[in-house]
Amino acid sequence: MTGLQLANLDDFLARRWEDVVELALQHLAAVAISLALATAIGVLIGLLVWDRPVPRSVSLTAAGIAITIPSLALLALLSPVLGLGWAPTIVSLVFYSLLPIVRNTVVGLREVPGHLVESARGMGMTPAAVLLRIQLPLAWPVIVTGIRVAAQLTVGIAAIAAYVAGPGLGVYIFRGLSSLGSVNALNFALTGTLCVVLLALLIDGAFVLITRYSTPRGLRA
């Protein structure tokens, strides 16, 4: 039976390719929105705490504990408050994206050589100028690596958001799992899963290019 279902996968995709494309675009939109919000929040938190030991430890510990919360449990907790669909999906994705972004922002800024910062200050640069022109450019490769890790997390977790009627390819995965034994159950689950993997690879490839072309030439490997 499994072989027959797999043999019909081409026909299944030919009939439903518009649905697949729409769900993939929804998935990508959810990842992009949540990643943009998480980057803004995470980098801001990193900038505020990187040179303050107690707030830094509290922030990293809180983010580390938060990421251990099972995604299904978090979605179940959010849905009575935010309803179903996009809202709990975006909030949960932002929630899980914060740890790698905050951590890498802190690590990147702490790794900037102190003598460069002191030299910049000695030249009369203001703290804001030192941050924007010296520290952030030098820390950027590490920060963008954290954003890249967060992107991979959100692609996978976004699929689980179908549990609360969220957008994206998880709809096909859950439909397949909920109809096991039916003719197209495997086709739904396999299509959703393969598209999530493909989307993750495409996003990762995009981040390779972003890292390469947004990193100052002197810092490129």
Side-chain angles (χ1 to χ4, degrees), residues 11-36:
D11 291 338
F12 177 85
L13 291 175
R15 293 194 308 271
R16 299 179 181 270
W17 68 269
E18 291 182 346
D19 265 355
V20 174
V21 170
E22 182 180 355
L23 290 173
L25 291 176
Q26 289 179 5
H27 204 105
L28 184 61
V31 169
I33 293 169
S34 60
L35 198 61

Side-chain angles (χ1 to χ4, degrees), residues 193-213:
T193 302
L194 290 178
C195 287
V196 168
V197 172
L198 180 60
L199 195 60
L201 292 173
L202 290 174
I203 291 174
D204 197 57
F207 268 98
V208 171
L209 296 177
I210 290 170
T211 303
R212 176 172 178 78
Y213 291 106

Side-chain angles (χ1 to χ4, degrees), residues 30-160:
V31 169
I33 293 169
S34 60
L35 198 61
L37 292 172
T39 298
I41 297 169
V43 171
L44 179 59
I45 293 173
L47 290 173
L48 292 174
V49 305
W50 74 273
D51 59 345
R52 298 176 178 139
V54 174
R56 180 175 69 236
S57 297
V58 170
S59 299
L60 292 176
T61 300
I65 292 172
I67 204 171
T68 65
I69 299 173
S71 52
L72 281 176
L74 179 62
L75 288 166
L77 289 172
L78 290 174
S79 57
V81 179
L82 301 176
L84 301 176
W86 282 84
T89 300
I90 298 300
V91 171
S92 63
L93 293 182
V94 170
F95 187 81
Y96 287 113
S97 298
L98 286 176
L99 175 61
I101 297 174
V102 173
R103 181 184 58 204
N104 280 43
T105 301
V106 169
V107 170
L109 290 171
R110 284 172 59 82
E111 287 184 350
V112 175
H115 67 273
L116 293 179
V117 176
E118 292 302 322
S119 297
R121 289 173 179 166
M123 294 170 59
M125 294 178 68
T126 64
V130 172
L131 177 65
L132 295 175
R133 297 177 61 183
I134 304 295
Q135 291 173 293
L136 275 179
L138 291 175
W140 176 247
V142 180
I143 295 173
V144 78
T145 299
I147 301 172
R148 181 179 174 183
V149 172
Q152 296 304 305
L153 278 173
T154 57
V155 171
I157 296 173
I160 302 173

